[in-house]
Amino acid sequence: MKCSVKAPAKINLSLDVLGKRADGYHEVEMIMTTVDLADRIDLTETTDRRITVEVSEGFVPSDHRNLAWQAGDLLQKRYKVNKGAHIYITKRIPVAAGLAGGSSDAAATLRGLNELWGLGLSLDELAKLGGEIGSDVPFCVYGGTAIATGRGEIIRHIDSPPPFWVILAKPPTGVSTADIYRGLKLDAIEHPDTRAMEAAIEEQDFDEICSLLHNVLESVTLGLYPEVDNIKKQMQKFGADGVLMSGSGPTVFGLVAKESRLNRIYNGLRGFCDDVHAVRLIRSSNTCLKPYKDDML
C-alpha cells in the first residue's frame, strides 16, 4: 500500500516571545496559518520494519536528522508496528526558511503512516506525538489557522483570515534559529497585540490584519542579515499591503489583496532573489490524504 500526503508551509501573522522557560525553550505566543506552498510526501509500506527516507533535494538529510524519519521512527516504536516505510519527500518549500518545511513533512508523515498502518489515531493524538519531534509539528498536524503557545506545541484553533494572496521571498541566506533567539533582548521586546490580531481575523478585516503584523524576532534577523531587510523594503516598495518576516527568517512574506498587483510585486522581487512564490491561504485543515493501491499507479 501507498499514500501521498500534502505538507503545506506556514507563516506567522504574529510572533511573540514571553520569556525563557526552565527547560531552556522560550515561551511563545504565535498566530500561524498555512499557505498553499507544499511538499509532497509519498509513503510506501514495507515489510522489513526499516524507515528509509529519500529527498528530491540532495542537500536535505535523509537519515535520522530528517524530521520525517523521526516521525516514522517514533510512530513505529511507540505503537510497536511490525512494518516499515519508505518516505519520499518532494521539496517545494525552501529549506531553513522560517516556513516550517521540515515540521510539516514530519506532520504529514505522522498523518500518512497513521492511515497506511491502520493505527486509527486522532489528530489530537498525532499532534501530541508531534510535540516530541519539534515545536511546530503539532500545528502542522492540524493546519488551518491557530494560536500556538507554550513552546509552540499548545494549539488553539481560530477562524481563518479572509482570502488574500501571499508573496514569499527567501534570500539565499542561511539563518540559525538558535542564534536569533540568543540575540533577542527579552527586556526590550515590543510585544505584538495578539488579541487584536485574533479579533481582526475574526472580523475578516484585512486592513487591520496588515496593520497588526508583528514578529519580535524580525529586528534581530534584520540586524544580522541586511539582505533580509532589503527584501522587506523592496516588497513594501512594490506595493504589498502588509509585509513581515516569517519565523526566525529569512523568508519575508507580503499580503496582497488585489490580484492585479500580484504580478508586479512577484516580478519585481525576482530581480532581488530567485526563491519567490505567489500562493493563497489554505483556509481549512491541511489533512489532505490520498491513499492508493499499487494497481492504481
Side-chain angles (χ1 to χ4, degrees):
M1 288 287 291
K2 299 182 179 183
C3 71
S4 297
V5 194
K6 190 176 184 179
K10 63 83 184 169
I11 57 173
N12 298 87
L13 299 177
S14 179
L15 194 162
D16 197 6
V17 178
L18 306 177
K20 193 78 176 285
R21 294 157 49 114
D23 60 7
Y25 289 97
H26 285 81
E27 191 77 16
V28 299
E29 185 175 51
M30 307 179 288
I31 296 183
M32 297 190 285
T33 192
T34 43
V35 297
D36 198 17
L37 174 68
D39 294 343
R40 173 182 165 130
I41 312 297
D42 291 302
L43 301 163
T44 305
E45 184 180 271
T46 63
T47 57
D48 59 7
R49 299 197 74 252
R50 292 178 63 219
I51 305 294
T52 56
V53 174
E54 189 177 355
V55 189
S56 63
E57 301 293 342
F59 54 84
V60 178
S62 58
D63 54 16
H64 65 278
R65 295 171 294 171
N66 189 291
L67 297 187
W69 184 93
Q70 293 177 31
D73 183 65
L74 176 63
L75 201 60
Q76 183 190 61
K77 289 178 178 175
R78 187 65 51 86
Y79 293 96
K80 299 179 173 57
V81 178
N82 290 317
K83 298 173 184 176
H86 179 69
I87 305 166
Y88 187 88
I89 303 172
T90 303
K91 292 297 296 179
R92 290 193 66 233
I93 303 171
V95 177
L99 300 173
S103 295
S104 192
D105 292 347
T109 299
L110 287 173
R111 291 187 282 111
L113 290 180
N114 179 49
E115 177 75 18
L116 202 62
W117 288 340
L119 300 178
L121 301 173
S122 67
L123 285 182
D124 290 342
E125 290 171 309
L126 294 175
K128 187 174 180 180
L129 275 174
E132 299 181 36
I133 301 166
S135 299
D136 284 340
V137 179
F139 168 76
C140 294
V141 166
Y142 296 112
T145 305
I147 296 178
T149 53
R151 57 180 174 83
E153 86 286 7
I154 303 169
I155 305 300
R156 178 167 67 85
H157 306 285
I158 62 174
D159 293 340
S160 294
F164 50 73
W165 289 92
V166 181
I167 294 277
L168 302 167
K170 178 188 177 292
T173 300
V175 171
S176 165
T177 298
D179 287 347
I180 301 306
Y181 272 96
R182 273 194 292 268
L184 185 65
K185 293 180 172 57
L186 292 173
D187 57 353
I189 287 176
E190 181 183 343
H191 296 281
D193 192 338
T194 307
R195 300 284 81 76
M197 177 63 86
E198 181 182 2
I201 292 171
E202 184 177 343
E203 293 163 10
Q204 303 288 282
D205 189 335
F206 176 73
D207 290 338
E208 185 72 356
I209 290 170
C210 290
S211 72
L212 290 167
L213 292 172
H214 191 67
N215 177 350
V216 300
L217 301 179
E218 187 180 68
S219 61
V220 182
T221 304
L222 267 55
L224 293 172
Y225 302 94
E227 56 271 46
V228 181
D229 188 31
N230 184 46
I231 290 293
K232 181 174 183 180
K233 288 174 179 174
Q234 294 301 327
M235 197 175 287
Q236 291 168 329
K237 175 184 173 182
F238 292 132
D241 296 296
V243 181
L244 191 68
M245 184 186 79
S246 187
S248 59
T251 300
V252 176
F253 67 85
L255 308 185
V256 184
K258 295 181 179 178
E259 187 175 356
S260 58
R261 205 181 309 159
L262 192 70
N263 285 339
R264 184 179 69 179
I265 300 170
Y266 177 87
N267 291 330
L269 288 168
R270 291 281 293 177
F272 293 88
C273 63
D274 295 329
D275 216 343
V276 183
H277 305 268
V279 298
R280 301 301 299 264
L281 290 183
I282 297 176
R283 304 191 73 241
S284 60
S285 174
N286 67 9
T287 54
C288 173
L289 187 68
K290 299 177 182 176
Y292 56 87
K293 296 181 180 179
D294 290 343
D295 57 6
M296 295 173 64
L297 293 176

